[in-house]
Amino acid sequence: MIFQPVLPFGGYAGWRFLESNLERQQSQFAQAPVQERDRAYFAENIGKVRSPEDLVSDYRLLRVALGAYGLQDDLPNRAFIEKVLSDGIDEPEALANRLADKRYRVFSEAFGFGGTLPPNTQSPTFADRVLARFDRQSFEVAVGEVDSDMRLALAASREVPDIVAAGGSDATAWLTVLGNPPLRQVFETAFGLPSAIATVDLDRQVEAFQAGAERTLGSSEFSQFSDPEAVDELLKSFTVRAQVNAGISASTPGATAITLLQNLV
């Protein structure tokens, strides 16, 4: 049986419900037979992978690898993925460094091809690290099949604190958001920014996101997200605005709660 996440309503009320029983639902999802078989196959075989070609030639390994980094839509694009991995990240002209979507750089860095050292697939802890991401990302995909906004909120709750923890300047953090399409959508919606903002210069985009953060959260600094309450405020604004944008009627699950919560954003 395929586990389907339980999401009785949407908006911020739905997010709080999911957040309150996230650990239980993730555990149930991870125990699904299909998920367990994927994990077992990856753990048993990833150590045999010594080159990008080895990885992309094994459909099951590649599916798990891409899924762990939110790139599952690229499963048919094996030549492209092989190039991303083969180039590595050491050289400025490496493909992963030139792509606007920085998830490819994270993916390439994790596998460690293209450098002088053995790839990370040879590390005894590599499979566990990737599979932890795979379980979470796969659960997010399953959530998205029920409610796409909840999937975006889950991804943001995971990725925003990671960006803070990585250090770097405030501008670098905002550029990381701009280079991650799903995360960017969360911030755009939360701040009430139009998608057309993507057509202006990067410096102006960063300024717009900083102004949106100041207006919505009271601070333009990305470091504020080291506080879980700031992340929650971001996700409150996102889920309420996303629900409003989608349209609310009296028959919408949780409509009364959503209406009340709109006044809090």
Side-chain angles (χ1 to χ4, degrees):
M1 177 180 294
I2 298 176
F3 175 81
Q4 184 177 53
V6 177
L7 297 169
F9 33 73
Y12 184 59
W15 167 246
R16 291 303 299 268
F17 173 86
L18 178 60
E19 192 178 32
S20 69
N21 59 79
L22 181 60
E23 186 175 340
R24 177 178 60 81
Q25 291 207 50
Q26 282 183 319
S27 177
Q28 291 176 330
F29 177 82
Q31 293 170 22
V34 172
Q35 196 73 5
E36 289 187 333
R37 287 195 295 270
D38 283 342
R39 285 203 309 273
Y41 184 85
F42 188 88
E44 182 178 350
N45 292 283
I46 192 61
K48 303 172 186 176
V49 170
R50 297 179 178 277
S51 70
E53 183 180 5
D54 289 342
L55 182 63
V56 301
S57 65
D58 189 314
Y59 179 88
R60 293 182 68 185
L61 286 180
L62 183 61
R63 181 161 57 83
V64 172
L66 291 174
Y69 292 87
L71 299 172
Q72 57 277 351
D73 290 345
D74 276 312
L75 190 55
N77 304 324
R78 291 187 298 177
F80 168 70
I81 292 301
E82 184 174 355
K83 176 63 173 173
V84 167
L85 292 171
S86 297
D87 279 8
I89 63 166
D90 292 343
E91 298 298 327
E93 293 303 309
L95 180 56
N97 292 330
R98 293 185 284 115
L99 292 170
D101 189 337
K102 297 310 176 186
R103 291 178 297 174
Y104 293 103
R105 189 184 193 283
V106 174
F107 172 66
S108 183
E109 182 178 22
F111 278 80
F113 295 112
T116 58
L117 298 176
N120 294 331
T121 54
Q122 304 306 297
S123 167
T125 62
F126 180 73
D128 288 340
R129 296 198 302 271
V130 174
L131 289 173
R133 293 182 62 106
F134 175 66
D135 278 343
R136 174 64 186 253
Q137 292 270 8
S138 298
F139 178 74
E140 290 174 10
V141 171
V143 167
E145 292 174 354
V146 181
D147 187 320
S148 59
D149 291 333
M150 291 301 105
R151 177 184 178 181
L152 290 170
L154 268 179
S157 72
R158 168 175 51 79
E159 294 179 346
V160 169
D162 285 349
I163 294 173
V164 177
S169 68
D170 190 69
T172 297
W174 285 114
L175 287 170
T176 301
V177 170
L178 296 179
N180 183 318
L183 194 55
R184 180 192 182 103
Q185 184 177 342
V186 169
F187 279 83
E188 280 183 355
T189 302
F191 297 162
L193 297 173
S195 58
I197 192 71
T199 63
V200 305
D201 292 340
L202 273 178
D203 288 345
R204 291 183 61 192
Q205 291 185 50
V206 170
E207 291 173 0
F209 275 67
Q210 289 174 324
E214 179 75 36
R215 182 175 62 252
T216 306
L217 305 173
S219 172
S220 64
E221 295 184 3
F222 201 89
S223 58
Q224 67 183 296
F225 296 116
S226 61
D227 183 350
E229 290 187 7
V231 178
D232 185 65
E233 286 298 315
L234 171 72
L235 296 178
K236 177 193 292 184
S237 183
F238 164 69
T239 51
V240 173
R241 286 182 183 272
Q243 189 80 0
V244 171
N245 293 344
I248 302 171
S249 68
S251 61
T252 301
T256 301
I258 292 163
T259 301
L260 292 171
L261 284 166
Q262 287 175 10
N263 297 324
L264 300 177
V265 179

